[in-house]
Amino acid sequence: MHLIADTPPGLSVTEAAERLGVGRAVVYRLVATLIEHRMIRRDAGGRLRLGAGVLHLASRAQPLIADAARPVLRRLAEAVGATSHLTVADGGEAVALAVVEPSWTAFHVAYRAGSRHPLDLGAGGRAIAAGRRHETGWQASTGELESGAYGIAAPVIGVEGLEASVGVIALAPLDPTAVGPQVLAAAAAISRALN
């Protein structure tokens, strides 16, 4: 499935067998089972592609990821006094998967889980892009997604198949030298929780 996912134009059975270093009969048996469970499909040209069953698995995984992240996000939100979030990549967009607001502030940013924005805007999206380049530092933003909002985020590194970031959003400027290390620590804690 990883091989097919990493080959957008799809694969023939022969190509899959060659890349996996196994016989075509083995691939045919695997393909039959995966097609039965809708994990892969054959397109009009007979090439193997991901199937709709993968979406079902992904929808089941998102709540598990969010549940694992919430305790870390709660600690981060309370420590910084800013709304914390776990953001994941979905194509060219960043999607807020889990959001936790601080309990002790008079005012804070209201940011809804499910909110989307272009991946190249905002600290959360740029942190995901940095993670793709294996950069581990934090990213900061000012007013990119909402005028008057400030963000700092860091990529979640080391979780196979997950492109994500952890960050905070505030109504006042955030001190990157104080908040950046806390966001990095939260990203590392979420990585450990998911591995």
Side-chain angles (χ1 to χ4, degrees):
M1 286 181 54
H2 285 280
L3 179 62
I4 293 169
D6 291 339
T7 312
L11 291 168
S12 69
V13 168
T14 301
E15 291 168 335
E18 288 171 0
R19 291 192 191 175
L20 293 171
V22 298
R24 287 178 26 177
V26 171
V27 174
Y28 275 113
R29 282 194 302 271
L30 290 171
V31 164
T33 300
L34 291 171
I35 287 174
E36 181 181 330
H37 293 281
R38 299 179 354 164
M39 296 298 155
I40 63 171
R41 64 183 173 83
R42 287 185 186 264
D43 66 15
R47 297 184 72 73
L48 304 173
R49 296 180 180 269
L50 288 180
V54 174
L55 297 174
H56 177 71
L57 285 179
S59 71
R60 296 288 180 128
Q62 285 185 349
L64 297 174
I65 293 167
D67 288 346
R70 274 194 192 90
V72 176
L73 295 175
R74 168 62 53 207
R75 287 190 299 273
L76 181 61
E78 298 300 341
V80 176
T83 301
S84 64
H85 58 89
L86 175 69
T87 299
V88 297
D90 182 17
E93 293 184 309
V95 181
L97 186 62
V99 176
V100 175
E101 297 174 356
S103 63
W104 58 270
T105 58
F107 298 97
H108 54 264
V109 173
Y111 187 47
R112 297 190 197 303
S115 296
R116 294 176 169 269
H117 60 82
L119 202 55
D120 60 347
L121 293 178
R126 286 205 318 276
I128 292 170
R132 288 177 173 172
R133 297 185 303 270
H134 305 287
E135 296 173 9
T136 58
W138 66 79
Q139 302 287 317
S141 66
T142 301
E144 291 180 26
L145 299 176
E146 186 66 39
S147 179
Y150 300 85
I152 295 178
V156 175
I157 303 292
V159 181
E160 182 69 30
L162 181 68
E163 293 182 315
S165 67
V166 174
V168 291
I169 308 167
L171 295 170
L174 297 163
D175 177 5
T177 60
V179 176
Q182 292 177 72
V183 171
L184 284 170
I190 289 174
S191 179
R192 286 191 301 275
L194 294 174
N195 277 318

